[in-house]
Amino acid sequence: MEGLKTRAFAGHSAERGLHPLWMVAAIVAATFSAYLPALNAGFIWNDSDYVTARSLRSVEGLARIWFELGATEQYYPVLHSAFWLEHRLWGDSPVGYHVLNILLHATAACLLAAIVRSWRGGGATSGEVGAAPSNSSAVVARPARAPRDWNAVAWLAAFIFALHPVCVESVAWISEQKNTLSLVFFLLAALAYLRFDRTRSTRLYAGATLLFGLALLSKSTTATLPPALLVVFWWRRGRLEWRRDVLPLVPWFVLGAAMGLLSAYVEKEYIGAKGSEFALNGWQRVLLAGRIAWFYAGKLLWPGELIFIYPRWRLDPADAWLWLYPLTALACVAALWRLRGCSRAPLAAVLFFGGSLFPVLGFFNVYAFVYSFVADHWQYLPSLGLIVFGAAALSGGLAGAGPWLRRGIPVLLVAALGVLTFQQSRMYADMRTFYRTTLEGNPTAWMAHNNLGNLMREDGRLDAAIAHFQAALRVRPDLTKVHNNLANCLHQLKRPQEAIEHFRRALEIEPDYTEAHHNLGRVLRETGNQREALAHLLRAVQLDPDDPDVRNNLGMVLRDLGRLPEAIAQFERALRDHPASSPAHLNLALTFSMMGRDAEAREHYREARRLNPKIPALPGM
């Protein structure tokens, strides 16, 4: 594949402009400059679900990544294998992950340039957007003014993509290495396939198929590559032929559909994309698709007020104005179809954009829909279609301008995008900055309120934590985890009755919420209500029999009730599963002492002190 990349970038020695390698270096340098704040950023939100978990860091863990559904957040084994290797290289230091993510993003931008540069030869006559090739039977009316220098278009598109702020979420957020890595494989597969289309080389087809498989196993939304290639062929040739264009891509369609269905299954059954939050009827999904498409197009054109979690829209088919979104989208496609005789390029760009967005338009459940129906990282790949078209349109529009305008306007545009990206990257500095910035843009982001509340609780700022939990509950009163978190803060502030009220509310909403049963039982024991505490702790043990803390608290309640042998059984079970549990050893020591079994009491007390030197020495122990 290295030879393929070299040929894609190589140009004639007399070609105008800088050598391609200098342009590649400029893109890499500009990308790293724009993302400087991200280089010093930390881990945020769900990065712990992607940076390899302790249980997966061994060779056996690597096998689980490939062969066990549910071992990782999604079944993306190439991505998680990459994370596995990265953890061996730089461990839990976020710098290495950020450097690699930025480098992958810059590489994707350069590969985009390579693809667009390959359009210089063959295809559209004289490089004009939408013009038919000389061997095409399509009748083409007056071609619109278009760039004749695809080299300039290629590098402009690459710089725009590398520095556009809607990409920040994919580049500065470590979890979204699935975007940057999968896009590199996506574009490499496209390059290889486009060359196969010219040569019909079996070796190139096999290589392209392998790269497409790697893209799918990094992120399943890359399944949109086969239809994207058909769109490119239609734009270039004016028509599609079954044997030449469609038939070779049939296996790719099958692979993409299989991976897409598997990801949808994992999203629903393992991640939890089901329930009332996803109970959208067909009309609501149509409304959603239209609004999502226009939202992303708007952010590409005017990247203002970018937020990590956008407000979640209300979708009521009775609101007539909402129908403007899908209806105008359909009208736009119909109008571009009618104008295809002048230029096929606008329709091709829109088809690429909409088709690549299809997996996240709302027709399939995506777990993150519980927070918002849109996210910047979901348009990372789809943005390529409109970016390339925009670069071509700008280059064509400036074709007759003077050299200062022809060069100055693109430079100013790219510089402005770079400044916006630099500013946007700052929000990923650390988790507190990340959540505060999110709430500044969207005060209704209940997830940010909850997570920032947990951080405030860790800092000992309990009143601030309570304020955030209460803000989250004003937006969503049915959030069981937030009720539980608020109750824990109230308990720490010695307000047990208020804490009990919120634990009970959490269990009303979710009767099998293990943590709420455990915490409620613990607080009830402290307030002297041992009988009710016992009922909740027994239920917690049924739901999670392997939690040593639940076993310890259950044992203490049983001891309070005088049921000492049963208490000992709970403490011993906790130690069987977790031998280094100092609380279990300490509780056993106290219980054996109450039973007059002093030798056993001393043995467990000494072990508890060995595990936790802060436990004071006692006479006779």
Side-chain angles (χ1 to χ4, degrees):
M1 301 314 296
E2 185 64 31
L4 170 68
K5 291 165 64 178
T6 303
R7 286 190 292 271
F9 278 118
H12 300 294
S13 59
E15 182 179 63
R16 290 183 296 117
L18 293 174
H19 190 279
L21 291 180
W22 284 111
M23 297 301 291
V24 168
I27 286 177
V28 173
T31 305
F32 271 92
S33 298
Y35 282 96
L36 274 177
L39 286 174
N40 297 318
F43 296 111
I44 61 165
W45 191 23
N46 69 338
D47 283 341
S48 58
D49 295 326
Y50 285 87
V51 174
T52 309
R54 186 174 298 278
S55 60
L56 299 176
R57 292 174 186 173
S58 63
V59 175
E60 292 77 12
L62 181 61
R64 289 181 60 201
I65 286 171
W66 280 88
F67 301 111
E68 181 183 327
L69 279 183
T72 53
E73 171 132 330
Q74 250 290 6
Y75 183 69
Y76 297 151
V78 169
L79 169 73
H80 285 285
S81 296
F83 274 122
W84 183 89
L85 178 60
E86 290 166 53
H87 193 273
R88 296 215 158 192
L89 293 174
W90 41 74
D92 293 326
S93 172
V95 177
Y97 299 96
H98 284 301
V99 169
L100 180 59
N101 226 23
I102 296 169
L103 186 59
L104 286 169
H105 179 58
T107 300
C110 294
L111 290 171
L112 175 64
I115 290 174
V116 178
R117 280 166 54 84
S118 72
W119 295 340
R120 291 172 302 163
T125 304
S126 301
E128 291 186 340
V129 177
S134 57
N135 62 350
S136 172
S137 60
V139 177
V140 180
R142 298 180 304 274
R145 169 176 281 188
R148 294 179 180 272
D149 185 1
W150 280 108
N151 186 59
V153 174
W155 295 118
L156 177 58
F159 271 104
I160 291 174
F161 176 69
L163 302 178
H164 202 295
V166 298
C167 297
V168 170
E169 192 169 290
S170 295
V171 182
W173 181 12
I174 290 171
S175 294
E176 285 307 308
Q177 190 177 118
K178 57 179 176 280
N179 259 358
T180 56
L181 181 64
S182 66
L183 184 59
V184 168
F185 287 129
F186 178 99
L187 294 173
L188 282 171
L191 264 174
Y193 193 89
L194 290 172
R195 184 162 180 80
F196 157 78
D197 181 63
R198 294 192 294 272
T199 65
R200 297 288 142 170
S201 163
T202 303
R203 182 179 297 180
L204 274 172
Y205 182 82
T209 303
L210 174 62
L211 290 165
F212 179 55
L214 292 173
L216 287 174
L217 294 174
S218 300
K219 189 175 183 180
S220 59
T221 53
T222 54
T224 58
L225 178 55
L229 287 169
L230 292 180
V231 168
V232 171
F233 295 149
W234 171 80
W235 162 61
R236 300 282 282 169
R237 297 165 178 159
R239 63 180 181 179
L240 295 175
E241 294 180 2
W242 169 256
R243 290 182 62 85
R244 180 190 63 188
D245 302 321
V246 181
L247 187 59
L249 288 172
V250 168
W252 288 29
F253 275 100
V254 173
L255 286 173
M259 191 62 192
L261 290 173
L262 176 62
S263 292
Y265 171 79
V266 172
E267 194 84 17
K268 181 179 179 181
E269 299 300 330
Y270 287 85
I271 302 177
K274 56 185 177 180
S276 59
E277 294 291 336
F278 304 92
L280 302 174
N281 61 39
W283 295 119
Q284 287 175 308
R285 292 183 187 273
V286 170
L287 290 175
L288 185 58
R291 190 165 186 182
I292 286 174
W294 281 118
F295 175 88
Y296 287 136
K299 290 298 181 184
L300 267 179
L301 184 63
W302 187 259
E305 298 181 354
L306 300 179
I307 310 171
F308 185 79
I309 301 176
Y310 293 96
R312 195 173 190 269
W313 301 322
R314 178 177 173 271
L315 299 169
D316 185 354
D319 289 342
W321 68 274
L322 288 175
W323 287 99
L324 290 173
Y325 289 107
L327 291 176
T328 52
L330 291 173
C332 178
V333 172
L336 293 177
W337 174 255
R338 290 182 63 87
L339 292 173
R340 71 191 186 282
C342 295
S343 176
R344 293 186 296 274
L347 180 57
V350 167
L351 290 176
F352 181 99
F353 179 69
S356 300
L357 278 176
F358 182 75
V360 293
L361 284 180
F363 298 111
F364 303 100
N365 290 346
V366 179
Y367 180 75
F369 281 178
V370 300
Y371 311 116
S372 175
F373 291 122
V374 288
D376 290 341
H377 67 274
W378 286 336
Q379 73 157 319
Y380 183 70
L381 186 160
S383 68
L384 297 180
L386 296 186
I387 285 175
V388 171
F389 175 74
L394 179 59
S395 181
L398 294 173
W404 284 103
L405 283 178
R406 196 167 61 249
R407 297 170 185 170
I409 290 178
V411 168
L412 288 175
L413 171 63
V414 167
L417 292 174
V419 170
L420 292 174
T421 289
F422 186 92
Q423 294 173 340
Q424 186 72 10
S425 298
R426 289 175 171 172
M427 73 173 286
Y428 295 87
D430 55 66
M431 285 198 287
R432 287 160 182 78
T433 302
F434 170 70
Y435 290 125
R436 288 194 184 102
T437 306
T438 299
L439 289 171
E440 288 172 6
N442 177 16
T444 65
W446 55 265
M447 183 273 284
H449 276 299
N450 177 64
N451 292 358
L452 186 56
N454 284 328
L455 293 172
M456 295 296 100
R457 184 185 172 204
E458 290 177 10
D459 295 341
R461 300 172 57 188
L462 297 181
D463 289 332
I466 286 173
H468 281 293
F469 294 138
Q470 290 173 335
L473 291 173
R474 282 195 293 272
V475 179
R476 287 280 305 277
D478 61 338
L479 296 170
T480 55
K481 290 185 178 180
V482 181
H483 280 289
N484 181 73
N485 293 336
L486 174 56
N488 283 328
C489 278
L490 293 167
H491 175 239
Q492 285 182 257
L493 287 172
K494 311 298 183 186
R495 294 156 63 178
Q497 293 308 316
E498 293 174 79
I500 289 170
E501 178 184 341
H502 282 283
F503 285 134
R504 292 192 194 282
R505 178 60 184 141
L507 290 172
E508 288 174 9
I509 301 167
E510 187 180 340
D512 289 338
Y513 185 13
T514 307
E515 192 174 346
H517 277 295
H518 178 205
N519 289 333
L520 179 56
R522 181 168 50 87
V523 176
L524 287 169
R525 172 182 177 265
E526 293 174 5
T527 58
N529 193 342
Q530 312 293 2
R531 297 288 178 184
E532 190 179 357
L534 179 63
H536 284 288
L537 289 167
L538 285 171
R539 182 58 181 150
V541 163
Q542 288 178 339
L543 294 168
D544 188 1
D546 299 324
D547 189 327
D549 293 330
V550 176
R551 294 277 179 188
N552 270 317
N553 282 301
L554 175 58
M556 287 190 286
V557 170
L558 290 167
R559 185 176 62 204
D560 293 343
L561 293 170
R563 296 160 62 173
L564 301 187
E566 294 174 76
I568 287 175
Q570 295 299 327
F571 299 139
E572 288 179 337
R573 170 61 191 273
L575 283 178
R576 186 163 67 248
D577 296 336
H578 300 272
S581 172
S582 60
H585 281 291
L586 194 60
N587 278 316
L588 270 175
L590 177 58
T591 310
F592 280 134
S593 179
M594 293 172 66
M595 298 177 71
R597 297 163 62 175
D598 294 339
E600 293 164 286
R602 282 193 294 271
E603 177 185 346
H604 283 286
Y605 194 81
R606 288 167 184 165
E607 183 62 17
R609 290 198 67 227
R610 186 187 70 81
L611 293 169
N612 184 3
K614 293 182 179 179
I615 297 174
L618 294 177
M621 289 290 188

